[in-house]
C-alpha cells in the first residue's frame, strides 16, 4: 500500500514519514510478535506495534514479558530470528537441540 505523507514545517512540503518506513518491506510497516499455541492454534500472546528496525525478534520477546508466561521447562518453537536466544526459552531451526527434538517428534 502507498506510504502516507506528513506535513513537514521545515521544508513546507509533504514528506514520507521515515519512522514508519521499513527497508525490508520497501514501504510503511510495523512489527508485531504473535505467539500461537501448537496443537490448538489459539493466539496466546500479542505484543507490539514496534516501529520498523526499532527492535529485533529477541528484544521483542524479552520486552514483552512472554518469558514470564512460559512454564518451567516450556520452550517456544521459533523462526530463525530467535537463533542465539537462550535455549532455555527457544527451539529454533539450526539452534541448540533442534535436531534432537525433531528426531524425537518424527518417530
Amino acid at each position: 500500500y502507498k506510504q502516507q505523507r506528513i506535513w513537514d514545517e521545515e521544508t513546507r512540503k509533504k514528506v514520507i514519514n521515515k519512522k514508519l518506513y521499513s527497508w525490508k518491506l520497501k514501504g510503511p510497516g510495523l512489527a508485531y510478535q504473535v505467539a500461537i499455541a501448537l496443537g490448538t492454534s489459539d493466539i496466546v500472546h500479542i505484543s507490539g506495534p514496534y516501529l520498523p528496525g526499532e527492535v529485533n525478534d529477541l528484544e521483542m520477546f524479552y520486552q514483552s514479558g512472554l518469558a514470564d508466561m512460559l512454564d518451567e521447562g516450556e520452550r517456544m518453537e521459533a523462526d530463525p530470528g530467535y537463533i542465539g536466544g537462550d535455549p532455555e526459552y527457544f527451539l529454533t531451526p539450526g539452534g541448540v537441540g533442534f535436531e534432537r527434538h525433531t528426531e524425537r517428534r518424527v518417530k
Side-chain angles (χ1 to χ4, degrees), residues 36-91:
I36 300 170
L38 298 177
T40 64
S41 298
D42 292 338
I43 296 173
V44 295
H45 178 78
I46 298 175
S47 67
Y50 298 95
L51 292 174
E54 182 178 33
V55 294
N56 63 35
D57 291 348
L58 284 171
E59 290 171 348
M60 275 190 241
F61 172 78
Y62 292 116
Q63 288 179 14
S64 71
L66 185 53
D68 298 329
M69 294 175 59
L70 296 174
D71 293 333
E72 188 174 330
E74 184 178 23
R75 294 191 293 174
M76 297 177 17
E77 288 199 27
D79 65 38
Y82 294 84
I83 290 177
D86 188 340
E88 176 184 347
Y89 297 121
F90 305 107
L91 189 61

